Amino acid sequence: MLELLLPKDYHSALDIKETQGAIKHVKDHFERQLAKQLNLTRVSAPLFVRPETGLNDNLNGVERPVSFGIKEQDDAKVEIVHSLAKWKRMALKKYGFAYGEGLYTDMNAIRRDEDTDNIHSIFVDQWDWEKIILHDERNVETLKSVVRSVYQALKDTEHYISDKYEYIGKILPKEIAFVTTQELENMYPNDTPKEREYKIAKLKGAVFIMQIGGALASGEKHDGRAPDYDDWSLNGDIIVYYPILDIALELSSMGIRVDETSLANQLEIAGCTDRAGLPFQKAILNRELPYTIGGGIGQSRICMFFLRKAHIGEVQSSLWREEDIEKLSNNGITLL
């Protein structure tokens, strides 16, 4: 458990029942706007996958997936997904999507090794989306264009929800800023990556931090990324400043996906070239899958932000330590 943030004199403007209705308003509106902005079609997605397919998201490489055996299939082992970052790319091909089209889905995951706090839960819910692009479009201009489209969906949702609930004011800036992790290190060389994110988010209001996964000039990484979905030179996080908690709040992680060259390079750097023989990774190296851009957008994070909640447990049902539930309750924060 990380340190809990307890805003002074916090009081939720909505009770639990009202919050449930507001959550649906936020999710329904944002989902429609995202699909409109990116030309996405909703599809069904798996809750679990076979580990030997290479489809599960390895996150930072140390998190343990929840797994179980299937009785009917000779106790074959499957894993609860950490995300659908890889599955979506294969689905685009399997479902017959064309250039310029994409898909999105509701992704639910269990991250048993998560350190929980106001914005982290062992239950993760997000919209996972993926869209087909051309190889020639694998560049920063394409990345920024799509980021602006996602940001526009966020802006539209804030406008909609602030009209619906008087207590919600508009705080997102007109435009989102862009900065690379190396530029951030140059700006704040004595700070940790999280401290840099806080400073730039508070300065800009909303920022897309680019190029996450590789080593910086200092030799350190800004943050970890699995080597076999995002291209580390063409990815990033959408982060906003959240005044309720006075923090930098990540709402989305996204990027242009690896091609055959960047995948081979990143597997080498990460020291896991053995993954090249797995079905998903092998399909990329053999140029059998479409080139894509995609990402994940936190559903509970979005609801928490737009409804101005102090804890993610106010907008999702999860499990928390009893002493933390009591501490939060004593400070006006009621968890679902």
Side-chain angles (χ1 to χ4, degrees), residues 158-177:
E158 184 178 58
H159 180 79
Y160 167 79
I161 208 71
S162 64
D163 282 348
K164 204 164 191 66
Y165 298 95
E166 291 184 357
Y167 79 95
I168 299 174
K170 300 183 182 72
I171 60 176
L172 289 174
K174 182 179 179 181
E175 296 180 350
I176 188 169

Side-chain angles (χ1 to χ4, degrees), residues 176-188:
I176 188 169
F178 294 87
V179 65
T180 68
T181 51
Q182 188 57 62
E183 289 170 337
L184 265 187
E185 184 179 64
N186 295 343
M187 291 169 65
Y188 309 114

Side-chain angles (χ1 to χ4, degrees), residues 250-269:
E250 179 191 325
L251 297 181
S252 175
S253 177
M254 58 178 286
I256 290 174
R257 307 311 196 185
V258 289
D259 64 2
E260 57 278 4
T261 302
S262 56
L263 173 59
N265 290 340
Q266 290 179 186
L267 288 177
E268 182 72 32
I269 293 170

Side-chain angles (χ1 to χ4, degrees), residues 20 121 123 300 312-320 336:
Q20 295 297 308
S121 170
F123 170 65
S300 291
I312 198 167
E314 294 180 90
V315 294
Q316 64 153 246
S317 294
S318 186
L319 291 178
W320 316 94
L336 300 183

